């Protein structure tokens, strides 16, 4: 079954470009031209992925992202003309999984969409849960337990936690993590990683300012504690 993608953008030329591009690659495409219409379409159509503009006429795309994250963990890819780091951080902090700046290359956009959809596919081979200290990461059921209490993670947070927990005690550079989680196009966008690590620490650490799981290696990267 083809993945369903909702495109929310108020620029007719963007919709006229993106929708045919996606349909030509076999995706089922739904579109909306305002934030409220996008939220309604999201609830109604249950898309597998959202492509979201920030500069919508009735509400900021960051708020759309926040509202969707209250009920859904579907991947959100921001497609915006706003290229400032602050805008990217706000969108990622609100729950966006990726950020593409307009103007964009068609093949790069398609690659980002494929990567986002792959990340939410269930793993093919059965896998045993990863146990690290008080954390249990169940890759089969997309669940994380801390001291037997379930945590609610976004797909990106789950992917980062799983990746790091698979390499306990090993120093992972910023570049290594960015490439593993966002792909080769993101290796020069460390703000993505800072925001994601901060959000994940708030959920898994008892005291995020003094973490016991995800440890910072200054100027180098991060290390998952060998618990």
């Amino acid at each position: 079954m083809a993945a369903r993608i909702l495109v929310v953008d108020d620029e007719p030329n963007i919709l006229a470009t993106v929708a045919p591009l996606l349909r030509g690659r076999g995706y089922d495409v739904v579109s909306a031209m305002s934030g409220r219409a996008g939220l309604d379409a999201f609830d109604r159509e249950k898309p597998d992925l959202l492509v979201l503009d920030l500069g919508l006429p009735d509400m900021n795309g960051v708020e759309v992202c926040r509202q969707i994250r209250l009920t859904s963990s579907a991947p959100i890819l921001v497609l915006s003309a706003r290229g400032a780091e602050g805008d990217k951080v706000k969108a990622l902090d609100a729950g966006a999984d990726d950020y593409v700046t307009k103007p964009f290359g068609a093949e790069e956009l398609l690659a980002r969409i494929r990567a986002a959809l792959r990340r939410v596919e269930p793993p093919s081979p059965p896998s045993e849960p990863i146990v690290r200290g008080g954390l249990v990461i169940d890759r089969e059921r997309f669940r994380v337990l801390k001291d037997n209490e379930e945590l609610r993670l976004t797909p990106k947070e789950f992917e980062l936690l799983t990746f790091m927990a698979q390499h306990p005690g090993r120093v992972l550079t910023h570049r290594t993590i960015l490439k593993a989680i966002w792909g080769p196009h993101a290796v020069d966008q460390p703000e993505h990683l800072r925001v994601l690590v901060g959000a994940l620490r708030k959920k898994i650490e008892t005291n995020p300012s003094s973490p016991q799981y995800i440890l910072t290696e200054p100027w180098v990267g991060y290390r998952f504690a060998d618990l």
Side-chain angles (χ1 to χ4, degrees):
M1 183 179 296
R4 176 170 295 176
I5 298 177
L6 170 61
V7 182
V8 181
D9 200 303
D10 66 329
E11 296 183 50
N13 62 318
I14 293 294
L15 293 179
T17 300
V18 174
L21 174 68
L22 299 180
R23 290 192 182 104
R25 299 302 176 97
Y27 297 113
D28 179 14
V29 182
V30 182
S31 63
M33 299 186 69
S34 69
R36 179 51 55 191
L39 290 170
D40 291 343
F42 192 93
D43 289 339
R44 183 179 63 252
E45 302 292 342
K46 302 293 188 295
D48 299 293
L49 179 142
L50 170 64
V51 176
L52 176 67
D53 184 26
L54 295 184
L56 300 171
D58 57 340
M59 62 192 301
N60 193 301
V62 171
E63 181 58 28
V64 174
C65 193
R66 287 198 187 100
Q67 291 195 32
I68 286 175
R69 279 290 170 257
L70 294 175
T71 59
S72 174
S73 59
I76 299 175
L77 189 155
V78 170
L79 183 62
S80 177
R82 302 177 185 177
E85 179 176 341
D87 292 312
K88 295 180 180 180
V89 169
K90 287 178 183 177
L92 294 166
D93 207 20
D97 295 279
D98 205 349
Y99 198 109
V100 177
T101 305
K102 300 175 184 175
F104 57 91
E107 291 305 318
E108 178 184 352
L109 177 63
L110 289 167
R112 300 281 188 106
I113 288 173
R114 289 194 299 269
L117 290 172
R118 279 198 303 269
R119 285 192 285 269
V120 295
E121 291 177 353
S124 297
S127 54
E128 293 295 321
I130 300 172
V131 180
R132 299 284 183 261
L135 290 177
V136 178
I137 305 168
D138 188 339
R139 291 169 288 176
E140 289 292 303
R141 296 180 175 85
F142 193 80
R143 297 174 70 218
V144 175
L145 302 178
K146 180 185 178 184
D147 300 328
N148 295 319
E149 181 179 344
E150 186 168 358
L151 306 179
R152 183 166 180 161
L153 304 187
T154 68
K156 206 62 123 187
E157 291 167 351
F158 184 86
E159 186 177 4
L160 175 62
L161 178 61
T162 301
F163 177 71
M164 295 198 68
Q166 287 175 318
H167 303 89
R170 174 182 166 189
V171 176
L172 300 171
T173 66
H174 297 123
R175 189 179 184 89
T176 296
I177 301 173
L178 285 164
K179 186 175 181 180
I181 305 302
W182 281 281
H185 298 289
V187 293
D188 296 320
Q189 298 174 313
E191 68 274 10
H192 286 43
L193 183 55
R194 288 199 301 271
V195 171
L196 191 62
V197 168
L200 182 56
R201 278 174 169 165
K202 290 177 182 178
K203 296 181 179 181
I204 70 170
E205 302 285 2
T206 302
N207 181 3
S209 63
S210 182
Q212 68 177 108
Y213 291 106
I214 299 179
L215 311 178
T216 300
E217 296 291 338
W219 313 110
V220 179
Y222 297 95
R223 174 172 54 87
F224 197 91
D226 191 1
L227 301 172

